[in-house]
Amino acid sequence: MIRCDPKKPVWVHLDKLNPINGAPRFAFPEGIDLQSRVPGELHYWQMTTTGHWAGYVSYRISQEGDGGLRMSHLVIETALEPREDAPARRGDPVWEAASLRR
């Protein structure tokens, strides 16, 4: 495990976590949005049994009319990217160790 101290700002690509096969069934604006990119905080990296990295991340899923749902769980590396609006984090060795700089 590689801890992030302090926590690292990341983008979580919900569409990569929740792929939709085919076209949407119908529009439901009051539902939760699982196809967006949301800001999150990376707490630590954990290696999987298949050699991929997963990050333990906290983020909020938006929902029309309320504050949304707060989530914290492991997310596969391909659904995460460093937040470019946090320039102090660029070149961070934790990202380098996880081979996520694209």
Side-chain angles (χ1 to χ4, degrees):
M1 178 183 339
I2 301 174
R3 291 203 177 275
C4 300
D5 187 23
K7 297 172 191 151
K8 308 297 181 194
V10 295
W11 288 113
V12 181
H13 294 270
L14 297 177
D15 58 334
K16 293 181 180 179
L17 291 177
N18 307 285
I20 293 178
N21 296 325
R25 292 181 182 169
F26 56 88
F28 186 69
E30 296 82 20
I32 58 173
D33 183 1
L34 297 179
Q35 299 302 300
S36 62
R37 180 180 80 159
V38 296
E41 289 185 319
L42 175 65
H43 299 260
Y44 63 84
W45 288 110
Q46 184 73 47
M47 181 70 73
T48 70
T49 58
T50 58
H52 297 91
W53 286 99
Y56 187 80
V57 181
S58 296
Y59 60 93
R60 186 173 301 279
I61 296 175
S62 64
Q63 186 171 12
E64 184 79 23
D66 70 15
L69 303 169
R70 185 78 174 156
M71 307 292 291
S72 293
H73 61 96
L74 288 168
V75 172
I76 195 69
E77 65 184 290
T78 55
L80 298 174
E81 74 174 297
R83 290 213 356 235
E84 297 299 326
D85 62 341
R89 306 297 196 242
R90 290 185 192 146
D92 190 302
V94 173
W95 286 104
E96 307 282 326
S99 302
L100 284 181
R101 295 298 294 173
R102 297 187 264 278

